[in-house]
Amino acid sequence: MTHDGRPARETLDALAAELTGMAEADHRAAPGAHSEDPAEQLAWRRLTARHGDRLARIMDEFGWPAAELVGEDAARAAWLVAQHADRQLDVQRRALGLLEEAVARGAAGARELAFLRDRVLVNDGYEQVCGTQIAGVKDGAPVPWPCREPGRVDELRAEAGIEPYAEYVARFS
C-alpha cells in the first residue's frame, strides 16, 4: 500500500496482467462451452469457476477493478470473467452491483453494464432489457431470451452504446 492507502502500482500492474491473462484463457477455452466433447465442456466450466472464484477475491480486496485502477484491457477482462460466471450467480450479482456503482461515478461503461445486467436477469429467470443474451438458433436465425420491452430494445441498446439488435444478431447467423 502507498502512504495514502491505495494499492501500490506494482500490485495493480500484477492484477492487470492477471486479469488480461484470464481473459486470454477464456477466449481460448470458449469454444469448449458448447462442444460436443464433454471433456471440453468440463474444462470450460472449471476455468470459468476458477476465474469466478478469483474475481470474488479481487472484488473483496479492490472493489470493482475499473479502468482507473487496472487499465481498460484489464477492466474489460474483469467484466468478461463476471459475464461468464454463470454457475456462480452470487459472483455475477455482486459484480453487477459494483459495476453499477462504477458506471454511476463515470469509472465504467454503460455497454458492459447492459450486457452483465441482461446476463444476470436471464440467469435469475427474468426478462432481459437490451436483448444481449441469445437463447439459441432456430432455422438459422438467433433467438433472444425474452425481453421486457421488445419494442424498445433498439432504443435501450442505443442508450447503452450497443449496436442495433439486427446488426448484433447478424454475427450469430
Side-chain angles (χ1 to χ4, degrees), residues 6-73:
R6 290 191 200 146
R9 175 69 355 217
E10 302 83 35
T11 301
L12 296 176
D13 289 347
L15 178 60
E18 180 182 9
L19 286 165
T20 55
M22 290 163 70
E24 290 164 3
D26 182 286
H27 288 304
R28 284 191 305 271
H34 304 291
S35 172
E36 298 288 324
D37 181 351
E40 288 181 18
Q41 290 179 25
L42 183 58
W44 168 255
R45 289 185 186 127
R46 287 179 175 160
L47 177 83
T48 57
R50 273 195 319 274
H51 287 175
D53 290 345
R54 179 61 183 129
L55 181 61
R57 292 190 305 274
I58 290 168
M59 292 186 298
D60 286 344
E61 187 172 351
F62 300 97
W64 184 252
E68 63 193 8
L69 192 67
V70 295
E72 291 289 335
D73 290 343

Side-chain angles (χ1 to χ4, degrees), residues 26 44 48-49 51-53 55 79-93 95 116 119 123:
D26 182 286
W44 168 255
T48 57
H51 287 175
D53 290 345
L55 181 61
W79 165 80
L80 181 69
V81 168
Q83 189 78 357
H84 288 167
D86 292 316
R87 288 166 194 82
Q88 296 161 291
L89 297 182
D90 56 327
V91 172
Q92 271 189 340
R93 289 183 200 112
L116 187 56
R119 189 76 162 232
N123 284 337

